[in-house]
Amino acid sequence: MAHVLYLVHDLSDPAVRRRLIMLTRGGATVGLAGFSRAKIPGEIEGIKPVNLGRTADGRFVQRTWAVLKAMARLRSVLAGLSKPDVIVARNLETLALANRANGYFGGSVPIVYECLDIHRLLIGMGPVARSMRLAERWFGRNVSAIVTSSPAFKSNYFDVLSFLKIPVMLVENKVVAAMDDGLLPAPQKREDRPWRIGWFGALRCRKSLKLLAHFSRMANGRFEIILRGRPAYSEFDDFDAFVANEPFMRFYGPYRNPEDLGAIYGEVDFAWTADCFEEGHNSKWLLPNRLYEGCLHGAVPIAVQGTETAEALRRNNIGLILSDATSFALSMAMEGLDVRRVRYLKSAVAACDRRNWAIDEADCKSLVAWLAGLAPAGPRKTSDHFPISSSFAI
């Protein structure tokens, strides 16, 4: 049985829990340590985490200081843990910890760099961006492989900008569904309610919030905007007050993934999958969780032209692709909307292969087997092939 030490940037991030489900379902035993940006439970998926300290969104200097303090006491943190077969470091800030942990265990443990977002400070040719990429190369000097969630991250960053020249593994943000979960029938719109657009997950995009609010006002009650998840309050002037002042917008707080997905997506007709948080870079390249969550549960996805998400919709011949990220473009896409058209759009989503959106037990086992088979970084043949299922294509 593979033993994975998982070092994470935010223990309270729901995506961390999803990865733990995937690893344990694949047969791994997991040691968990990381920082937190909110209160965390005593256990996550039956694993007691080691909390390395609090960090905050958007506070780069504070997070750097937290990493330095964690490095100073990492030896005592790891004292009770057995040597892992592999160390997975989620995000750049944990790579320094991964190297220190590997040294504690003798220096022979392979390290995997899990990078699911490309931070804006890493992009560009200026001195700050180059310095950040040099730091990434230094902290990644012992990394055996990179795990990322979108092919556009590989082609636009790791292949052309990053100084790390090691194999890149694609593990999309697919839903790790419950064992007995099946596709739910797409609910029909009731005549007594407006059409609903759901924006769920990490709510961090000011442009999306204002765009959806303006669109709903223009539609004068024909559409409702339903928000669920975790707002990045540092990115908004006053998220709660803004939503409270919008007549056709509602925020219902966080949700559990995957337990609540069927219920919450069953209450909406469309899923807002666009993201303009780092427009032109990370937001253009990512494939967000909400794409997979919504499509798996029958919601019609909405994306913006020129993004990797729009390309995913085009490949599957589903959803609505806006010409640009404006309320006018959204209004044009919704023009003439009726029950018959929505039924057609939903049927196209329902016809997609479930494996496009969900990870099964075989996928979990393949990922764990690949992790367990990694050799420590060093002189080796570089290959772009990994002997695992097509759900984890390079």
Side-chain angles (χ1 to χ4, degrees):
M1 179 179 290
H3 179 203
V4 178
L5 175 58
Y6 194 26
L7 303 175
V8 302
H9 69 301
D10 182 10
L11 291 164
S12 62
D13 186 345
V16 169
R17 176 177 177 248
R18 292 198 301 274
R19 182 67 81 231
L20 290 176
I21 294 173
M22 190 173 183
L23 291 172
T24 55
R25 192 173 294 179
T29 59
V30 183
L32 177 63
F35 304 96
S36 63
R37 299 181 190 174
K39 185 177 180 180
I40 60 171
E43 291 188 348
I44 305 173
E45 287 301 299
I47 300 167
K48 186 175 181 179
V50 176
N51 194 336
L52 299 176
R54 291 294 291 266
T55 56
D57 283 326
R59 296 180 59 188
F60 179 74
V61 174
Q62 186 269 340
R63 285 161 61 183
T64 301
W65 179 241
V67 170
L68 291 174
K69 289 194 295 183
M71 289 179 66
R73 65 186 185 93
L74 192 61
R75 178 174 293 273
S76 63
V77 168
L78 300 175
L81 298 180
S82 58
K83 182 178 178 179
D85 298 306
V86 62
I87 299 171
V88 179
R90 188 181 183 99
N91 282 23
L92 178 58
E93 61 208 83
T94 64
L95 265 185
L97 298 179
N99 281 292
R100 180 64 65 89
N102 191 19
Y104 172 78
F105 291 117
S108 61
V109 181
I111 298 173
V112 172
Y113 174 29
E114 185 178 40
C115 181
L116 306 185
D117 281 301
I118 307 298
H119 196 280
R120 60 184 176 272
L121 292 179
L122 288 163
I123 301 167
M125 300 308 295
V128 173
R130 284 187 61 84
S131 296
M132 289 295 295
R133 292 198 297 274
L134 285 169
E136 182 184 59
R137 180 173 70 175
W138 172 252
F139 292 132
R141 64 192 182 277
N142 297 317
V143 168
S144 297
I146 297 167
V147 167
T148 195
S149 57
S150 170
F153 288 154
K154 181 178 186 295
S155 59
N156 290 286
Y157 178 72
F158 288 110
D159 286 352
V160 297
L161 282 176
S162 177
F163 293 123
L164 294 177
K165 300 305 176 186
I166 52 181
V168 178
M169 171 74 158
L170 177 65
V171 181
E172 296 178 48
N173 290 317
K174 297 181 182 182
V175 178
V176 185
M179 291 290 196
D180 58 351
D181 184 42
L183 283 175
L184 301 177
Q188 300 301 314
K189 174 181 177 290
R190 299 198 315 267
E191 296 300 325
D192 60 344
R193 72 159 174 84
W195 298 107
R196 289 177 177 166
I197 300 175
W199 181 27
F200 301 158
L203 309 180
R204 59 183 184 178
C205 178
R206 280 176 287 181
K207 185 171 183 176
S208 289
L209 184 67
K210 293 179 179 179
L211 182 162
L212 292 169
H214 186 232
F215 165 75
S216 67
R217 285 180 178 261
M218 290 170 57
N220 197 29
R222 187 165 173 248
F223 286 83
E224 284 183 344
I225 310 301
I226 307 299
L227 311 180
R228 293 181 184 270
R230 300 198 314 164
Y233 284 103
S234 62
E235 301 301 326
F236 302 99
D237 295 330
D238 192 334
F239 176 87
D240 294 325
F242 182 94
V243 174
N245 289 328
E246 289 301 318
F248 310 114
M249 181 176 279
R250 306 284 184 270
F251 174 55
Y252 292 115
Y255 58 93
R256 296 174 304 161
N257 182 337
E259 292 88 348
D260 297 336
L261 296 182
I264 66 174
Y265 280 100
E267 293 176 349
V268 301
D269 307 290
F270 300 89
W272 181 255
T273 66
D275 185 303
C276 309
F277 177 61
E278 293 182 357
E279 211 164 5
H281 297 116
N282 190 72
S283 292
K284 181 178 180 180
W285 303 334
L286 59 75
L287 290 172
N289 294 302
R290 57 182 66 95
L291 167 68
Y292 303 93
E293 295 172 1
C295 290
L296 182 65
H297 294 94
V300 177
I302 303 171
V304 177
Q305 177 70 29
T307 63
E308 187 68 20
T309 306
E311 289 304 309
L313 301 195
R314 189 172 286 110
R315 286 193 298 270
N316 289 282
N317 197 27
I318 59 172
L320 300 173
I321 300 176
L322 310 185
S323 58
D324 53 24
T326 63
S327 54
F328 176 75
L330 181 55
S331 296
M332 293 297 293
M334 295 299 187
E335 187 175 4
L337 188 74
D338 56 21
V339 172
R340 183 176 179 180
R341 184 177 177 221
V342 174
R343 187 178 294 126
Y344 170 79
L345 292 169
K346 283 180 173 287
S347 66
V349 175
C352 291
D353 188 341
R354 173 186 172 87
R355 286 178 58 86
N356 291 350
W357 321 121
I359 287 172
D360 60 20
E361 188 173 2
D363 294 327
C364 298
K365 291 180 178 179
S366 293
L367 176 63
V368 170
W370 173 73
L371 289 171
L374 286 173
R380 65 186 185 280
K381 294 181 179 179
T382 300
S383 171
D384 278 344
H385 173 72
F386 296 88
I388 55 179
S389 76
S390 59
S391 294
F392 307 99
I394 295 302

